[in-house]
Amino acid sequence: MMEKFKSGFVALVGRTNVGKSSILNEVVGKKIAAVVNKPQTTRNAIKAIVNRKNSQIVFIDTPGIHKPKSKLGDAMNETAWTSIPDADVVLFVVEATSNEIGKGDQMILEKIKQAKVPTILVINKIDLVTKEQIFKLIETFKDEYHFKAIIPISVLKKQDVDIVLEEIEKCLKEGPAYYDIEEYTDQTLREIAAETIREKAMKLLQQEIPHGILVEIEKMKKAKTREEKPIFNIEATIYCLKNSHKGIIIGKEGQMLKRIGSYARQDLEKELEEQVNLKLWVKVKEDWINNEQFVKKFKNID
């Protein structure tokens, strides 16, 4: 007897920097979301599609829950909160290094309890702690809520990530494929390009500037080289909050901007499977993180 086809939407929720985007990229097998060892990397709800033999799982990677300090922060939290009740399954990600359920995780748990959505707890970064610590954390969370499953994993070591997909599939109901089986994200090529550039900037700049970076693709056009080979011509602007930040992003004699562009181009060529000609500019947009026109881009509006 043929197995019934299942489908559904899975919200990835958790505090900042717990590894949600890394999990997303690992299960999809492609780079969808920016992965940086900094909080608040994901700004909007990114959808990624995993097609399995008898199911289609649509992941929604939400911004990390944090204490907002700007309108952008408020919008990011709002996106995460609204994703919980709208999901068929919630994947609640926590760090194995936690000794207890902190305020942020407790807030998320309360939202999950209110929504009454089937929830799987994923304990990430188990490579950093002992087995005893993992068992203790499992017991702590077990006492708080009846999860459909609790799965300790290490995305970095690629340990037990496949179990996450198996447990999600168990929670899904019979349903159609919402997307074509060839698709793996609902993001446009422009959005993927902007995310890639922003990720490289954040990685290379480290702690030198805060998260006030916005990347907008001004032009993205497919053309041909002199040798008649396909090439993507991409022009993008990196917006920052202050003139001092602009100087840091550009770097001495433009070296930092060149590095950002070089690393982004390499990633984009892998993703697009075509040659890329990338041009970058840096502009100051003071206090854009509190500018409604810019912030609305990150609100979860269908």
Side-chain angles (χ1 to χ4, degrees):
M1 187 177 173
M2 192 174 176
E3 263 190 77
K4 290 180 179 178
F5 193 85
K6 294 179 171 184
S7 62
F9 291 80
V10 179
L12 265 161
V13 298
R15 290 179 293 103
T16 56
N17 211 27
V18 294
K20 298 186 304 299
S21 296
S22 296
I23 292 170
L24 185 79
N25 292 338
E26 183 63 29
V27 295
V28 177
K30 283 183 177 283
K31 195 168 203 178
I32 307 294
V35 179
V36 182
N37 188 25
K38 285 184 176 184
Q40 302 164 42
T41 305
T42 302
R43 286 179 176 163
N44 44 15
I46 295 170
K47 289 193 186 80
I49 303 135
V50 176
N51 291 294
R52 289 163 64 83
K53 186 180 178 182
N54 294 303
S55 67
Q56 185 178 81
I57 304 168
V58 184
F59 284 94
I60 303 163
D61 183 24
T62 65
I65 303 297
H66 63 288
K67 189 175 181 179
K69 296 179 180 177
S70 64
K71 285 185 179 179
L72 174 63
D74 288 331
M76 289 164 67
N77 276 353
E78 183 186 335
T79 296
W81 292 138
T82 55
S83 296
I84 294 173
D86 290 343
D88 297 302
V89 180
V90 171
L91 210 63
F92 178 22
V93 184
V94 300
E95 284 186 307
T97 51
S98 306
N99 293 317
E100 57 183 14
I101 302 175
K103 286 183 180 179
D105 286 333
Q106 195 65 57
M107 283 172 64
I108 297 167
L109 263 176
E110 290 307 314
K111 293 286 184 181
I112 289 169
K113 289 174 183 177
Q114 290 169 22
K116 297 178 182 177
V117 177
T119 301
I120 295 168
L121 179 70
V122 174
I123 301 174
N124 189 25
K125 305 183 185 181
I126 60 171
D127 51 296
L128 301 177
V129 298
T130 63
K131 285 184 179 179
E132 287 73 22
Q133 284 176 278
I134 297 166
F135 291 143
K136 186 180 176 183
L137 195 58
I138 289 172
E139 290 304 315
T140 302
F141 274 98
K142 261 186 180 178
D143 292 339
E144 282 290 319
Y145 189 70
H146 178 66
F147 295 99
K148 291 293 181 182
I150 297 179
I151 313 167
I153 70 165
S154 169
V155 180
L156 185 66
K157 303 287 184 182
K158 301 184 187 298
Q159 185 178 339
D160 295 332
V161 181
D162 55 329
I163 296 174
V164 175
L165 291 175
E166 291 168 15
E167 290 298 331
I168 289 171
E169 201 171 82
K170 289 177 186 177
C171 296
L172 296 179
K173 294 178 181 178
E174 185 180 350
Y178 294 99
Y179 295 89
D180 190 280
I181 58 168
E182 299 300 319
E183 294 183 274
Y184 61 90
T185 181
D186 71 337
Q187 283 200 299
T188 65
L189 292 180
R190 280 175 171 258
E191 288 169 333
I192 289 171
E195 274 290 287
T196 301
I197 296 164
R198 190 167 67 91
E199 179 197 40
K200 297 308 173 191
M202 290 169 68
K203 274 189 174 178
L204 288 168
L205 295 164
Q206 294 297 324
Q207 304 300 324
E208 290 189 84
I209 62 170
H211 277 252
I213 289 179
L214 170 70
V215 177
E216 285 201 329
I217 304 299
E218 309 291 347
K219 175 184 172 184
M220 187 167 183
K221 193 173 181 181
K222 201 168 183 178
K224 286 189 177 180
T225 63
R226 289 178 183 175
E227 295 78 25
E228 291 297 304
K229 291 182 179 179
I231 185 170
F232 272 99
N233 289 316
I234 303 173
E235 296 179 13
T237 299
I238 301 174
Y239 288 97
C240 57
L241 295 168
K242 301 176 183 177
N243 272 312
S244 58
H245 296 169
K246 181 179 178 180
I248 294 169
I249 296 168
I250 294 172
K252 189 177 180 181
E253 297 179 351
Q255 288 304 307
M256 178 56 75
L257 191 61
K258 285 179 185 175
R259 287 180 69 198
I260 292 168
S262 177
Y263 286 126
R265 181 181 53 77
Q266 289 171 32
D267 263 26
L268 286 169
E269 287 183 338
K270 288 178 188 174
E271 181 63 39
L272 301 172
E273 297 181 344
E274 303 283 7
Q275 189 177 338
V276 170
N277 174 35
L278 178 61
K279 293 181 180 178
L280 297 177
W281 286 269
V282 184
K283 294 180 181 178
V284 176
K285 185 73 177 176
E286 289 187 11
D287 203 32
W288 74 262
I289 55 175
N290 286 305
N291 184 312
E292 193 62 37
Q293 183 183 347
F294 279 85
V295 169
K296 69 180 180 182
K297 297 170 190 276
F298 306 106
K299 289 187 177 178
N300 191 16
I301 300 172
D302 292 328

